[in-house]
Amino acid sequence: MKKTIHVSNQGASLDTSRRNFLKLGGIGLAMAGLTLVGCDDNDDFQIINDGNIFDLGTGDVGILNYAYALEQLEADFYTKVVNNFYTGISSTEKEIFTDLYHHEVIHRDFFKAAISSATQNVLPKLEFQYPNVNFNNRSSVLATAKALEDTGVAAYNGAGKYITNAAYLVIAGKIVSVEARHASAIRNLINPGSADFSGDDVVDANGLDLAKEPKDIVMAAGGFIKTPFTWKERGIN
């Protein structure tokens, strides 16, 4: 049986009259909510639970839980940013961070809905920590946002090859394009008017965004994640 998954952005609407970087980027995906058709009740998913440690699982559901973990992290980070903006923040920066907050919350809720439609074993709500982040300092917040957005883009690019459900692959491609716009916006705040949006640290010799394996992504983001989990299928124990 096919299911339709829809996550509304009600309560997270954006001012469409603003013409900042993100609006010019054509970011309609996050503005309109996300819809996914094509999840079968009988999709071949497997979840492995080892004691109290949650395993992300195998197949496409493992990828969905992986993306859900990263979106939880980004949503949590931007929630902290917008709830206590750093000293001296400009109105433009407030707009951008507020937009990013709305987008990541929508992405997070979408993945929770998508996984819940396929299995009862959904990654639980994770706890995060930011030991080296000063949320009252512009440079600290921007540097962390840059690291998270760059990591998110590389994560989706690296995981795409493991997705077997075409509908999931399409939606992942749409979300990674949004994450790439986030990364560019943050880099432009750090160094306005520069070409840092396509820096050598995020674009390879072929002009393509970097793609990283899940194991490398979890290692890079692990310092922020307090709740332990495993993904044995991808060598994350």
Side-chain angles (χ1 to χ4, degrees):
M1 176 181 177
K2 298 288 185 181
K3 293 183 178 180
T4 298
I5 302 165
H6 177 69
V7 177
S8 172
N9 67 341
Q10 184 176 3
S13 61
L14 304 178
D15 180 357
T16 56
S17 68
R18 297 200 302 262
R19 295 186 57 81
N20 61 29
F21 179 88
L22 296 178
K23 304 306 174 296
L24 293 173
I27 204 160
L29 173 69
M31 302 265 302
L34 302 174
T35 302
L36 173 60
V37 179
C39 177
D40 283 325
D41 282 341
N42 61 348
D43 279 346
D44 186 17
F45 292 144
Q46 180 184 0
I47 293 289
I48 304 169
N49 288 304
D50 183 10
N52 294 322
I53 305 298
F54 187 92
D55 189 88
L56 299 186
T58 62
D60 286 345
V61 78
I63 301 294
L64 292 176
N65 271 318
Y66 169 59
Y68 181 38
L70 296 176
E71 296 296 352
Q72 282 194 53
L73 170 57
E74 290 186 310
D76 184 80
F77 172 74
Y78 287 117
T79 297
K80 287 179 168 56
V81 171
V82 300
N83 281 340
N84 185 26
F85 285 121
Y86 51 77
T87 302
I89 189 170
S90 69
S91 59
T92 297
E93 290 169 353
K94 281 186 178 181
E95 281 190 325
I96 290 177
F97 277 118
T98 301
D99 286 351
L100 268 58
Y101 157 74
H102 286 312
H103 299 165
E104 300 301 358
V105 166
I106 290 170
H107 293 171
R108 179 198 66 195
D109 292 350
F110 169 78
F111 278 108
K112 183 177 181 179
I115 302 165
S116 297
S117 77
T119 177
Q120 294 182 345
N121 294 286
V122 183
L123 178 72
K125 182 179 179 180
L126 302 176
E127 291 187 57
F128 303 100
Q129 61 189 1
Y130 305 92
N132 299 314
V133 181
N134 180 356
F135 283 93
N136 198 42
N137 179 272
R138 181 180 187 272
S139 296
S140 182
V141 170
L142 287 174
T144 306
K146 174 176 173 287
L148 290 177
E149 296 296 353
D150 289 349
T151 298
V153 174
Y156 278 102
N157 288 340
K161 64 186 176 184
Y162 298 121
I163 299 174
T164 60
N165 184 312
Y168 294 155
L169 185 59
V170 169
I171 204 68
K174 292 180 179 180
I175 292 177
V176 73
S177 72
V178 174
E179 299 292 350
R181 289 179 173 88
H182 291 181
S184 295
I186 293 297
R187 284 168 172 260
N188 191 64
L189 289 180
I190 294 172
N191 191 7
S194 70
D196 287 1
F197 70 92
S198 59
D200 292 341
D201 56 331
V202 288
V203 176
D204 65 21
N206 296 315
L208 301 175
D209 284 320
L210 297 181
K212 294 185 179 181
E213 289 295 313
K215 190 171 185 178
D216 297 325
I217 294 296
V218 172
M219 183 177 297
F224 296 115
I225 303 173
K226 290 181 66 176
T227 308
F229 62 80
T230 63
W231 194 6
K232 295 179 181 178
E233 185 181 45
R234 298 294 162 215
I236 300 169
N237 299 304

